Amino acid sequence: MRWAVHASALFPLLHFFRPAGSAAIPRDDRCRETKVAILGAGVAGITAAQALSNASVTDFLIVERNDYIGGRVRHTQFGVNPKTKAPYTVEMGANWVQGLGSKGGPENPIWTLAKRYGLNNTFSNESSILTYDQNGYEDYTDVLGAYEKAYGVVEQDAGYILMGNLQDTSMRAGLSTAGWKPKKDMRMQAAEWWAWDLETAQTPEESGFLYGITGYNLTFYQFSEENNYVWDQRGYNAFVIGESQTFLSANDKRLLLNTTVKSLAYSDQGVTVKTQAGCIKADYAIATFSVGVLQNDAVTFDPPLPRWKREAIDQFQMGTYTKIFYQFNETFWDPNTQYFLYADPKVRGYYPVWQSLTGPGFLEGSNIIFVTLVGNEAYRVEQQPDEKTKDEGLAVLRSMFPDKRVPEPVTFYYPRWSFEE
Ligand SMILES: Cc1cc2nc3c(=O)[nH]c(=O)nc-3n(C[C@H](O)[C@H](O)[C@H](O)COP(=O)(O)OP(=O)(O)OC[C@H]3O[C@@H](n4cnc5c(N)ncnc54)[C@H](O)[C@@H]3O)c2cc1C
Ligand SMILES: *[C@@H]1O[C@H](CO)[C@@H](O)[C@H](O)[C@H]1NC(C)=O
Ligand SMILES: *[C@@H]1O[C@H](CO)[C@@H](O)[C@H](O)[C@H]1NC(C)=O
Ligand SMILES: *[C@@H]1O[C@H](CO)[C@@H](O)[C@H](O)[C@H]1NC(C)=O
Ligand SMILES: *[C@@H]1O[C@H](CO)[C@@H](O)[C@H](O)[C@H]1NC(C)=O
Ligand SMILES: *[C@@H]1O[C@H](CO)[C@@H](O)[C@H](O)[C@H]1NC(C)=O
Ligand SMILES: *[C@@H]1O[C@H](CO)[C@@H](O)[C@H](O)[C@H]1NC(C)=O
């Protein structure tokens, strides 16, 4: 859920290749020519193209590996609406508008766009949560409160580091100093996972203290602390497509879908982009690839990126965040509660946060619930067969609801982002 601007993979690292003087560019006539090659048609690529259009630069090409606009804002069809028999749309990637804005303060630009395109969304009520462990329902919401209290100290401590330009540390160290020490207390671990890992897709050990907190502050104190869950049946990317239509016409020749960039050669004379289908010669290129693509050398740069850029890329970690969807033939959980937190006795982050979509304001009556895994657990299940993951999740549900008959799901699905970079 609360996927704040954070020291992980979420800052779009835009790489501008700006040759110094590009007067007489020798052209290879096998290549398509353009002024600006925009690599990627996610939010960053589409926004870059719109900015160029606004500045009357219309000679550009947008090159995208996928066959859709939106990148990590991506949905799929899942299950079936018992009333209409039509499939539901669920989000595989971005799902929340995080931090809306406040009166007189800045508004989150994503919120502005969500409103512009009338995206159906509902306030995610983090107080609407029930807590469980391996023996079923156990009220340990006081532990969530204790984390919040410690966090109040933690964010101030990070503020001292910022203001004093002091040595940074890990979020784990910051939490410990504030007196929050979950150790083997699995309820504390679950509370911490809910408040931290679910947001950042990484553990406190993996998270930088200063920029972990700065990212949170930037999102939730600059805008507001509300997170709204987008359940629009057009898909969350309706806003990205909508914005693209402000400058692209239907079947616009400047949008190249299904086109994978293989390599990028750049010099003072321009940029040559090689794709699986051919090549493009441009005066400039804007690369919007994720940190994962850049770290894994999925695209070759010639010459290699300078050390200062590679160092910046390596400072980030690509989070893995996996939503696992179950549709049942009935709702055996409380339909009026949004979140169900599970503390596994052995493994931290094992099927920890279940979120119901069947309740008021969401996909009402859908009998859909999904569980989110991040980090190592996400990576683990993405590597195993669906059947195994389905059964692991069902076993957890059965220990959470020991007095209910938890049937086999009617439909089951999860994306595997870690295979896509
Ligand atoms: C599971 C998940 C949940 C998330 N939840 C939220 C949320 O709730 N709220 C929120 O605000 N944010 C969330 N995010 C983050 C948000 O989705 C991203 O920050 C945002 O979509 C990134 O946009 P971008 O344009 O920078 O990158 P991308 O969307 O990754 O765009 C880059 C594009 O480049 C393309 N590309 C990559 N390699 C190549 C290649 N070799 N050739 C051609 N094209 C290529 C990709 O296909 C992609 O379309 C989530 C992300 C994920 C993965
Ligand atoms: C382009 O201009 C439109 C209309 O003024 C505006 O809504 C949009 O935000 C601008 N886009 C960018 C990326 O600046
Ligand atoms: C959030 O849920 C709590 C607990 O169910 C409830 O008391 C509160 O009114 C809800 N808040 C909103 C804004 O719906
Ligand atoms: C984050 O916000 C809190 C509350 O306003 C503030 O005390 C703290 O200094 C901020 N921390 C950082 C790192 O900006
Ligand atoms: C948005 O919500 C309204 C009211 O529930 C519903 O009638 C409409 O079909 C929804 N539209 C989309 C695109 O999800
Ligand atoms: C992209 O490729 C897929 C699979 O080959 C194909 O079904 C689809 O029509 C293509 N889309 C575009 C826009 O080229
Ligand atoms: C759901 O399926 C189970 C068997 O898998 C069945 O016992 C139960 O009656 C079904 N519930 C409804 C509402 O049909």
Side-chain angles (χ1 to χ4, degrees), residues 95-98 100 111 114 119-126 226-232 338-339 355-357 359-364:
N95 220 154
W96 278 267
V97 182
Q98 310 208 252
L100 308 184
W111 182 233
L119 289 182
N120 277 337
N121 67 91
T122 301
F123 172 62
S124 264
N125 186 352
E126 286 155 29
E226 302 135 284
N227 286 303
N228 280 25
Y229 182 90
V230 175
W231 52 271
D232 196 279
Q338 293 188 17
Y339 293 103
Q355 190 178 341
S356 171
L357 293 182
F362 298 92
L363 306 176
E364 293 182 20

Side-chain angles (χ1 to χ4, degrees), residues 329-330 405 407-408:
N329 65 343
E330 57 189 25
R405 183 181 34 76
E408 280 288 308

Side-chain angles (χ1 to χ4, degrees), residues 35 61 179 186 260 381:
K35 189 164 187 66
L61 291 175
M186 297 313 274
T260 302
V381 302

Side-chain angles (χ1 to χ4, degrees), residues 151-163 209-218 221:
Y151 188 84
V153 175
V154 163
E155 61 184 5
Q156 281 185 33
D157 286 351
Y160 299 138
I161 293 183
L162 182 66
M163 300 314 283
F209 187 39
L210 173 52
Y211 289 104
I213 302 296
T214 305
Y216 186 100
N217 279 12
L218 190 64
Y221 298 157

